[in-house]
């Protein structure tokens, strides 16, 4: 019974262009620490089969997350984690189900407030980033009858320099090389290394929706909902996507219970520093036990 009480349920929400796959290093670490972990794909993300053209609203995009929270038992609460654009998903979920969340963790994420429209922090961020800093990011109109429905897709250069610049090299052996070595009876072994997480992202990222126009016209998140949920912010000190200065501005704009930082992590802290991040999450879980 005591062990059951110690177990916490983490719900992990990915950012734009990504999917549940980006949590593949953190999920087993949290589970090894005794926690329950749910990582889902939002609509038209990861292996979710919905087409991006068929996602008509921010609410529809987040239906997989909202369905999970709606399915929880009356006395169950989760630790809800949102990364990057997933911070807006966390805010929406907290506004709808504040009683289901023990703490919301914003991991280098956009963190809205209850004073402005939901799009406010994203608009401020867009204004602060020069166009040339967006590199090869692609923007497309997905509905000619509604030009405001724009998609975004991170290019390889943007992924490399802005999101995954500190992803660690992984060492692996080439089966073809080993076969050749065996045939010719060579005694040496050639080892190849590469940034596997970056290459994985290049293959798996999918276009995401911005929802800026919709969210700029939406009602503010409520004080009774989102505003009543405890919040912690976890930043990365080497984040080239959402700079430390902008992270600090969001925290000043909407103060949180606690601010923690993952040293030596890029924007994808769950991949560049999975163990320190998992330890940080566990520490937060114990705090809100």
């Amino acid at each position: 019974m005591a062990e059951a009480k110690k177990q916490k349920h983490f719900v992990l929400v990915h950012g734009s262009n990504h999917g549940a796959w980006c949590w593949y290093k953190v999920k087993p670490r949290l589970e090894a620490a005794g926690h329950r972990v749910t990582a889902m794909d939002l609509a038209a993300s990861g292996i979710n089969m919905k087409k991006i053209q068929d996602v008509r609203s921010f609410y529809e995009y987040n239906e997989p997350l909202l369905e999970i929270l709606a399915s929880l038992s009356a006395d169950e609460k989760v630790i809800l984690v949102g990364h990057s654009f997933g911070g807006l998903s966390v805010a929406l979920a907290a506004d709808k189900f504040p009683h289901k969340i023990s703490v919301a963790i914003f991991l280098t994420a956009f963190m809205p407030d209850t004073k402005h429209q939901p799009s406010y922090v994203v608009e401020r961020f867009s204004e602060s980033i020069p166009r040339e800093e967006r590199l090869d990011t692609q923007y497309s109109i997905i509905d000619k009858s509604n030009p405001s429905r724009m998609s975004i897709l991170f290019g390889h250069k943007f992924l490399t320099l802005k999101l995954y610049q500190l992803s660690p090299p992984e060492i692996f052996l080439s089966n073809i090389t080993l076969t050749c070595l065996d045939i010719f009876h060579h005694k040496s072994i050639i080892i190849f290394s590469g940034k596997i997480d970056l290459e994985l992202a290049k293959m798996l990222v999918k276009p995401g929706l911005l929802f800026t126009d919709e969210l700029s016209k939406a009602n503010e998140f409520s004080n009774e909902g989102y505003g009543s949920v405890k919040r912690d912010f976890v930043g990365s000190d080497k984040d080239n996507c959402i700079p430390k200065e902008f992270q600090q501005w969001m925290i000043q704009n909407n103060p949180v219970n606690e601010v923690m930082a993952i040293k030596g992590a890029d924007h994808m802290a769950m991949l560049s520093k999975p163990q320190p991040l998992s330890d940080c999450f566990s520490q937060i879980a114990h705090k809100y036990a």
Side-chain angles (χ1 to χ4, degrees):
M1 183 67 69
E3 288 300 317
K5 288 183 178 180
K6 287 182 182 179
Q7 185 190 62
K8 300 298 175 186
H9 184 184
F10 284 85
V11 175
L12 309 178
V13 184
H14 61 80
S16 185
N17 288 205
H18 288 69
W21 55 266
C22 71
W23 300 104
Y24 83 94
K25 290 182 179 179
V26 168
K27 185 175 185 289
R29 284 174 164 85
L30 289 175
E31 290 172 337
H35 302 297
R36 178 184 170 195
V37 183
T38 299
M40 94 298 299
D41 293 308
L42 298 177
S45 303
I47 61 172
N48 183 281
M49 298 302 291
K50 197 156 195 172
K51 295 180 180 179
I52 190 170
Q53 294 85 350
D54 296 331
V55 180
R56 299 292 173 180
S57 68
F58 186 61
Y59 188 93
E60 193 172 335
Y61 170 67
N62 286 289
E63 277 184 341
L65 170 60
L66 300 177
E67 288 171 358
I68 287 173
L69 295 180
S71 70
L72 298 175
S73 61
D75 60 345
E76 184 178 359
K77 290 190 174 186
V78 302
I79 296 172
L80 185 57
V81 182
H83 174 250
S84 198
F85 191 72
L88 291 176
S89 299
V90 165
L92 174 66
D95 210 44
K96 299 292 182 184
F97 300 98
H99 56 291
K100 297 289 187 180
I101 301 167
S102 59
V103 59
I105 302 175
F106 291 80
L107 172 61
T108 60
F110 292 113
M111 185 172 64
D113 56 37
T114 58
K115 299 171 292 187
H116 304 88
Q117 273 70 35
S119 63
Y120 178 63
V121 290
V122 178
E123 290 170 341
R124 286 290 301 267
F125 175 76
S126 296
E127 292 167 1
S128 70
I129 303 298
R131 182 167 293 274
E132 60 269 20
E133 289 289 317
R134 304 177 192 191
L135 303 175
D136 54 350
T137 299
Q138 301 172 29
Y139 300 88
S140 303
I141 296 174
I142 62 170
D143 185 353
K144 291 182 180 179
S145 65
N146 183 6
S148 67
R149 294 193 69 224
M150 298 282 293
S151 69
I152 180 173
L153 179 63
F154 302 137
H156 289 185
K157 185 179 291 186
F158 188 88
L159 290 169
T160 303
L161 300 178
K162 297 295 184 179
L163 270 66
Y164 287 81
Q165 87 275 7
L166 295 178
S167 293
E170 306 286 348
I171 295 176
F172 62 95
L173 301 179
S174 164
N175 290 333
I176 296 175
T177 301
L178 291 176
T179 301
C180 292
L181 288 170
D182 183 62
I183 291 173
F184 292 104
H185 303 288
H186 286 190
K187 294 182 180 180
S188 60
I189 295 178
I190 299 175
I191 297 179
F192 293 84
S193 66
K195 292 196 172 183
I196 304 303
D197 292 331
L198 173 60
E199 294 306 317
L200 185 69
K202 288 178 181 179
M203 291 186 285
L204 295 181
V205 292
K206 297 170 68 174
L209 288 165
L210 291 173
F211 302 106
T212 308
D213 185 63
E214 175 192 348
L215 294 177
S216 68
K217 299 171 184 175
N219 292 331
E220 299 88 350
F221 293 121
S222 68
N223 288 315
E224 298 77 19
Y226 168 56
S228 70
V229 174
K230 294 182 177 68
R231 287 173 294 109
D232 279 5
F233 191 95
V234 179
S236 297
D237 67 342
K238 303 296 182 182
D239 192 336
N240 283 351
C241 181
I242 302 180
K244 187 190 303 183
E245 294 76 19
F246 193 81
Q247 295 178 37
Q248 292 170 343
W249 174 83
M250 287 192 293
I251 294 165
Q252 291 171 355
N253 177 61
N254 192 19
V256 298
N257 290 75
E258 186 170 356
V259 178
M260 305 177 78
I262 307 300
K263 293 184 178 179
D266 54 22
H267 187 63
M268 305 302 295
M270 69 282 278
L271 297 172
S272 59
K273 291 291 181 180
Q275 191 58 59
L277 181 61
S278 300
D279 293 341
C280 176
F281 285 172
S282 289
Q283 183 179 339
I284 293 173
H286 292 314
K287 182 176 68 173
Y288 292 99

